[in-house]
Amino acid sequence: MKAVVIGAGLAGSEAAYYLARKGVEVLLYEMKPKRFSPAHESENFCELVCSNSLKSDDVFGNASGLLKEEMRRLGSLVLEAADSCKVPAGGALAVDREKFSAFVTAKLRAENNIKIVAEEIGELPEEGIVATGPLTDGKLYEAIRSRFGGGLHFYDASAPIVSRESVDISKTFTADRYGRGEGDYINCPMTKEQYEIFVAELVSAEKAVLHDFEKGEIFEGCMPVEVMASRGKDTLRYGTFKPVGLFDGAGARAYAVLQLRKENAEGSSLGLVGCQTNLKFGEQKRVFSLIPALKNAEFERYGVMHRNTYLESPEILDEDFSVKENPMLFFAGQITGVEGYIESAASGLLAAIHYLRKLKELPPVRLGDTCVSGALSQYIARKNKDFAPMNANYGILRELGERDKKIRKQKYAERALEEIGRFICGIGG
């Protein structure tokens, strides 16, 4: 058996690896290093662009954590890489970006059943998995638009990274919110006056100009910090900069707090948590340097904003991620309308599982909406006039008749893992 996978991002890497491990000869097309998108710079596969955090790893308390456990049980390469390259981040699963990408790349290159072709594809195949990501452009984008009547798009943003040695540690304290974790975050406190000056400058700072053809909505889950601040001076204090649950060594709580998180295992690079931005580079340095601990911060990477394209999937795709008019052609990743690193990887894994069954001419085995994987699969295929990108969340799961929030999350997880177990048995382990 042979298969084509286009794109070696999170979804494409997951799909190619699964198929190869099941004995399929995979042609994996990736345009890097011949060409890079505006948001990518590494030659390695599975490059993380916006953040090094894969969100919560709490299986029984968070839908994102539950999705990760579902994927681990399905044999996810991305989760294997993440667990091997993680950096301290409290209750979240965060990774060393470079080691993470290198891990996935090495796995794919070492797999005998995968042939990697460094080539940009300009036409849609009649069969295979298209996982070219939300930055798909050029001839392939035109081919997709021509065949399916266009696509939708929204703006996404990434946060700046600073060097640890340039941070004034004397003006910080180390703590995790509510004591969860082992002091994985460096916290930069602000007084009321410092915070209000920062917000005023943040809102009035000059933004980068986006190209005229890039018009779309800003995704709420990755909202630029300056947009959030413009909604009211206290918006950040109740969100990204909230001081609740964070206390310094003397037990005091600041008026507002910016958190810094390790970007690599050594902790030499620190990301500004929740500070995705579209400010001009010079303005980023000026405004964020108003935070006392970052007065002399050296920026290793500035935040950027980019267009993310996604399909009108309910009109185009089935819940197994195949095209309704061509069941042997699949799409995977954020281009399908799932939003987030892990969600993207999950769609690649699921697309590969379903594609393999079709290659073997086996009957379909579907996931129900009692697990996060299945609920996301159904979401992208369900008729929806207001279709928009979707993260893992409890709201897409079939409801439970349980009022107690903690017990309800526990039951969601137990039910989901039972469903995954049934699915694994159905696909033959």
Side-chain angles (χ1 to χ4, degrees), residues 11-54:
S13 295
E14 196 80 85
Y17 190 72
Y18 178 86
L19 291 170
R21 298 281 285 183
K22 296 297 182 180
V24 179
E25 295 179 29
V26 179
L27 270 180
L28 176 59
Y29 289 91
E30 168 56 51
M31 67 180 188
K32 295 194 298 183
K34 289 187 176 181
R35 180 170 175 258
F36 291 82
S37 80
H40 294 86
E41 57 185 35
S42 170
E43 292 188 4
N44 282 332
F45 306 143
C46 220
E47 183 180 357
L48 302 183
V49 174
C50 294
S51 167
N52 74 322
S53 174
L54 307 183

Side-chain angles (χ1 to χ4, degrees), residues 121-317:
I121 299 297
E123 297 180 356
L124 270 176
E126 286 303 310
E127 183 176 319
I129 300 176
V130 179
T132 48
L135 294 176
T136 301
D137 63 1
K139 292 182 179 179
L140 183 58
Y141 175 81
E142 293 301 328
I144 294 171
R145 184 170 68 171
S146 174
R147 182 160 177 178
F148 300 117
L152 306 174
H153 56 270
F154 65 94
Y155 286 131
D156 205 351
S158 60
I161 296 173
V162 299
S163 69
R164 189 184 191 284
E165 65 180 8
S166 69
V167 175
D168 188 344
I169 297 299
S170 69
K171 292 182 171 62
T172 70
F173 64 94
T174 301
D176 299 309
R177 202 175 302 279
Y178 303 114
R180 298 169 182 164
E182 300 178 359
D184 299 329
Y185 288 85
I186 295 175
N187 301 281
C188 307
M190 286 178 276
T191 64
K192 184 175 186 292
E193 181 182 9
Q194 291 165 345
Y195 171 79
E196 291 181 346
I197 291 173
F198 169 77
V199 168
E201 293 300 315
L202 182 64
V203 171
S204 63
E206 191 174 0
K207 300 173 180 61
V209 178
L210 294 168
H211 297 295
D212 291 339
F213 66 85
E214 292 188 332
K215 296 178 180 178
E217 298 297 322
I218 297 173
F219 179 55
E220 191 73 24
C222 210
M223 187 71 64
V225 65
E226 62 270 14
V227 176
M228 293 294 293
S230 69
R231 295 177 173 179
K233 68 177 184 179
D234 288 322
T235 301
L236 295 182
R237 289 188 62 244
Y238 288 97
T240 301
F241 286 63
K242 67 180 179 182
V244 178
L246 293 170
F247 300 93
D248 62 19
R253 194 176 84 180
Y255 187 77
V257 176
L258 165 66
Q259 292 193 297
L260 304 177
R261 178 180 57 226
K262 291 180 180 180
E263 287 285 331
N264 54 18
E266 296 76 21
S268 59
S269 298
L270 301 173
L272 280 63
V273 176
C275 288
Q276 297 86 355
T277 181
N278 186 43
L279 298 183
K280 287 188 171 181
F281 289 175
E283 290 287 77
Q284 290 183 41
K285 182 172 180 60
R286 179 182 70 82
V287 175
F288 287 113
S289 294
L290 293 171
I291 298 171
L294 302 184
K295 182 178 180 180
N296 298 308
E298 296 176 1
F299 287 73
E300 297 181 342
R301 190 196 75 180
Y302 289 103
V304 295
M305 182 174 279
H306 52 269
R307 172 184 54 80
N308 275 0
T309 297
Y310 62 98
L311 298 169
E312 185 77 68
S313 291
E315 302 297 324
I316 299 167
L317 302 181

